[in-house]
Amino acid sequence: MWNAKLKALTLIVVYQFFFLNGALADEIKIAVASNFYPTMKELVKHFESITLNSDTTNNIVLISGSSGKHYAQILNGAPFDLFFSADKLRPNMLEKEEVFNNQSRFTYALGKLALWSSFNEYVDSDGQVLYTDDFRFLAIANPKIAPYGVASKETLTSMNLWQDMEEKLVRGENIAQTFQFAKSGNAKLGFVSYSQILSLNSSSEGSYWLVPQSMYQPIEQQAILLKDSSLGKDFLSFIKSNEALDIIKRNGYDLP
Amino acid sequence: MLSELDISAIIITIKLALISTSILIVIGTPLAWWLSQTRVKFKVVFEAIIALPLILPPTVLGFYLLMTLGKNGPIGRLLESFGGSSIAFTFSGLVVGSVIYSLPFVVQPLQNSFASIGKQPMEVAATLGASKLDRFFTVAIPLARSGFITAAVLGFAHTVGEFGVVLMIGGNIPGETGVLSIAIYDHVEAMEYGQAHLLAGGLLITSFLMLIFVYLFNRHFSIMRGSEK
């Protein structure tokens, strides 16, 4: 009798396993640049809500990280379906690889650079504070590896400050870390992304200067499809929809 | 080949490891001796605190250092009230971080080798009229020689291998806080895999040789074990 019960139970468990994981569920893994991660979470939530009534369960897994690291992982066979990079260089290089040459590459957002301080009423509306000697450290993302770092360098260069600033620069490995340096107050000033300022609990915290777009090359963030799947394609076309573009814009990015 | 930045990273790293290891030997020796001799009830609490960096992700340590050193943190405020400046983004800051981070790698081998001396040699020295301090320097320290070698090499190697703490409080300033592990990370991020290989491979071989050295000198390699006879 116990045997019969056990058999029935096993059957149910096995059946459930297939039911939930096999037939009716789709899964994609998205490697996303850490600066875009909070926005991406919101986008995925919205995508799930509009596809809720369809027959399949969509499971979207986000992997946040630096684009350089993701690039190296993709080249070495990481199981990602989509790659949302912080720049256009890496998707462009991936496209040159035969495997990923599927014409899917496109710009999904334009990053906006801002000079931010966790001190209230410290940064003026023209960034003139950079010319003062009132701060010991200015945090920027490392221009060698981070697109926001390149933009910071271009901004400082166009202000004729790059040479003099050498002594004051501290470099974060990415824009998230740069933000930590400024947020913790260890650096009084920092070049961060505008979307980070918007994601603060109270957006009135600290003070900032939104750097005019004329002072740096546009920070084009591009995405590329790595594996052919219907869910992956659906998600990409959702990203290009007006609803998605609204979310991206609301999070402090410009649209391509 | 190696760029100017790479060479400066190697120099900074060796300097950091040498200074941190020296400080660790100086504060680790009395600490390890006390731990090996004391019968105080809460000894395990102290042992656990010292062992914490072994199991905590370095980012935890780095995160708390960044917070405490900042303008809102206790140490940051204290320094500011004395008119000093923060040690975040400075070489001294890295030394403070490394000392905390590598503490167990120095204290544990020392404690083990002090414990393995046993009571007898110290008691014999006492009956011969040696003072407490005298006994410590002329009996305990020479007998714990292999413990010191293990502690120094591990403290050095572990500081060289540090990444998370430096990442959080360093700021990657060339010639000041730009260390080797960060330089390797940057090369990978910048897709300069050739240069990354050069530095990473060099570090791999050096670390391997350092461990070979430790094993040769100390056949009872016992960092994780408790007291050992």
Side-chain angles (χ1 to χ4, degrees):
Chain A
M1 180 194 152
W2 274 108
N3 239 340
K5 267 193 181 170
L6 206 65
K7 256 185 195 164
L9 195 70
T10 314
L11 215 65
I12 292 169
V13 170
V14 170
Y15 177 74
Q16 292 243 329
F17 183 80
F18 278 104
F19 182 76
L20 287 173
N21 292 300
L24 295 169
D26 273 337
E27 185 183 283
I28 51 167
K29 292 192 176 70
I30 304 179
V32 55
S34 23
N35 78 307
F36 198 68
Y37 181 64
T39 312
M40 191 55 126
K41 275 203 292 197
E42 201 179 323
L43 287 166
V44 167
K45 213 167 147 188
H46 197 77
F47 178 74
E48 278 170 346
S49 76
I50 56 173
T51 53
L52 195 63
N53 294 325
S54 64
D55 300 336
T56 54
T57 322
N58 292 328
N59 194 12
I60 297 177
V61 182
L62 295 180
I63 298 109
S64 164
S66 75
S67 300
K69 193 159 54 221
H70 280 154
Y71 174 80
Q73 289 171 340
I74 290 164
L75 282 186
N76 289 288
F80 303 143
D81 297 275
L82 286 165
F83 174 40
F84 280 72
S85 179
D87 62 3
K88 63 174 177 181
L89 175 71
R90 289 173 178 91
N92 200 357
M93 286 179 64
L94 282 175
E95 200 180 50
K96 286 183 185 131
E97 303 277 321
E98 187 111 15
V99 212
F100 307 119
N101 187 6
N102 51 24
Q103 314 291 323
S104 64
R105 183 169 64 92
F106 73 104
T107 304
Y108 62 90
L110 297 173
K112 287 203 259 190
L113 186 71
L115 179 71
W116 185 73
S117 170
S118 61
F119 294 78
N120 290 327
E121 291 165 22
Y122 181 61
V123 180
D124 55 285
S125 57
D126 292 307
Q128 293 299 310
V129 63
L130 283 170
Y131 291 100
T132 69
D133 217 18
D134 191 43
F135 57 98
R136 172 68 190 89
F137 292 115
L138 166 65
I140 66 170
N142 191 343
K144 196 181 141 194
I145 58 176
Y148 283 90
V150 177
S152 312
K153 184 178 174 178
E154 286 165 352
T155 303
L156 286 173
T157 308
S158 68
M159 295 173 87
N160 281 323
L161 279 169
W162 178 249
Q163 300 294 337
D164 309 333
M165 208 53 88
E166 194 63 35
E167 292 286 296
K168 294 181 170 179
L169 287 184
V170 288
R171 293 165 188 80
E173 295 314 303
N174 52 55
I175 200 69
Q177 216 208 334
T178 310
F179 189 72
Q180 282 169 21
F181 287 163
K183 178 83 166 68
S184 62
N186 283 298
K188 204 168 182 183
L189 285 169
F191 275 109
V192 303
S193 83
Y194 182 52
S195 71
Q196 288 174 314
I197 300 174
L198 292 183
S199 69
L200 283 168
N201 284 334
S202 93
S203 52
S204 59
E205 183 179 338
S207 48
Y208 71 90
W209 165 52
L210 194 58
V211 181
Q213 305 259 315
S214 56
M215 298 179 83
Y216 59 96
Q217 294 291 315
I219 306 168
E220 286 182 69
Q221 304 203 188
Q222 292 199 335
I224 185 169
L225 185 72
L226 303 171
K227 268 191 219 152
D228 203 17
S229 72
S230 63
L231 181 56
K233 282 179 175 164
D234 285 353
F235 189 77
L236 276 193
S237 42
F238 163 71
I239 293 294
K240 294 169 185 168
S241 73
N242 284 333
E243 286 163 288
L245 293 176
D246 276 348
I247 294 174
I248 294 173
K249 194 166 183 181
R250 207 171 57 231
N251 277 278
Y253 295 93
D254 270 342
L255 301 176
Chain B
M1 273 318 281
L2 290 178
S3 70
E4 207 175 300
L5 273 178
D6 290 340
I7 292 166
S8 119
I10 293 171
I11 293 170
I12 285 290
T13 305
I14 293 173
K15 193 172 131 193
L16 176 66
L18 280 178
I19 293 174
S20 302
T21 310
S22 313
I23 294 175
L24 276 168
I25 293 287
V26 171
I27 59 175
T29 305
L31 195 59
W33 178 253
W34 178 73
L35 281 172
S36 71
Q37 305 300 312
T38 185
R39 296 218 181 120
V40 76
K41 236 182 182 172
F42 302 112
K43 183 183 166 185
V44 283
V45 176
F46 290 101
E47 285 179 317
I49 291 173
I50 288 166
L52 264 180
L54 277 178
I55 55 159
L56 278 182
T59 39
V60 170
L61 202 55
F63 173 67
Y64 281 126
L65 278 172
L66 189 69
M67 292 300 142
T68 48
L69 296 176
K71 62 158 181 170
N72 300 318
I75 300 176
R77 273 189 193 155
L78 192 75
L79 280 171
E80 206 164 295
S81 67
F82 285 110
S85 57
S86 169
I87 57 167
F89 315 127
T90 64
F91 184 76
S92 327
L94 291 196
V95 172
V96 171
S98 305
V99 164
I100 299 172
Y101 176 66
S102 298
L103 188 66
F105 288 80
V106 170
V107 171
Q108 291 192 349
L110 286 178
Q111 188 187 340
N112 287 342
S113 60
F114 283 145
S116 69
I117 293 171
K119 285 207 163 74
Q120 215 183 359
M122 299 301 280
E123 281 168 2
V124 170
T127 51
L128 292 172
S131 74
K132 240 182 171 178
L133 211 62
D134 204 15
R135 270 179 278 161
F136 179 70
F137 280 108
T138 56
V139 179
I141 288 192
L143 282 176
R145 194 179 52 229
S146 70
F148 275 96
I149 289 166
T150 307
V153 176
L154 285 185
F156 185 90
H158 194 241
T159 306
V160 169
E162 187 178 346
F163 179 71
V165 176
V166 185
L167 189 71
M168 299 290 254
I169 61 167
N172 203 357
I173 303 167
E176 170 97 16
T177 60
V179 299
L180 192 53
S181 56
I182 305 269
I184 295 172
Y185 182 85
D186 285 352
H187 283 313
V188 176
E189 288 289 316
M191 298 174 287
E192 298 160 349
Y193 300 149
Q195 272 167 291
H197 268 310
L198 202 62
L199 291 182
L203 193 56
L204 182 72
I205 293 166
T206 319
S207 306
F208 178 66
L209 290 178
M210 280 196 278
L211 287 179
I212 290 276
F213 180 77
V214 168
Y215 276 97
L216 273 180
F217 263 83
N218 183 8
R219 285 159 70 186
H220 302 284
F221 186 69
S222 57
I223 170 129
M224 298 295 292
R225 272 174 262 164
S227 67
E228 174 186 65
K229 298 283 163 194

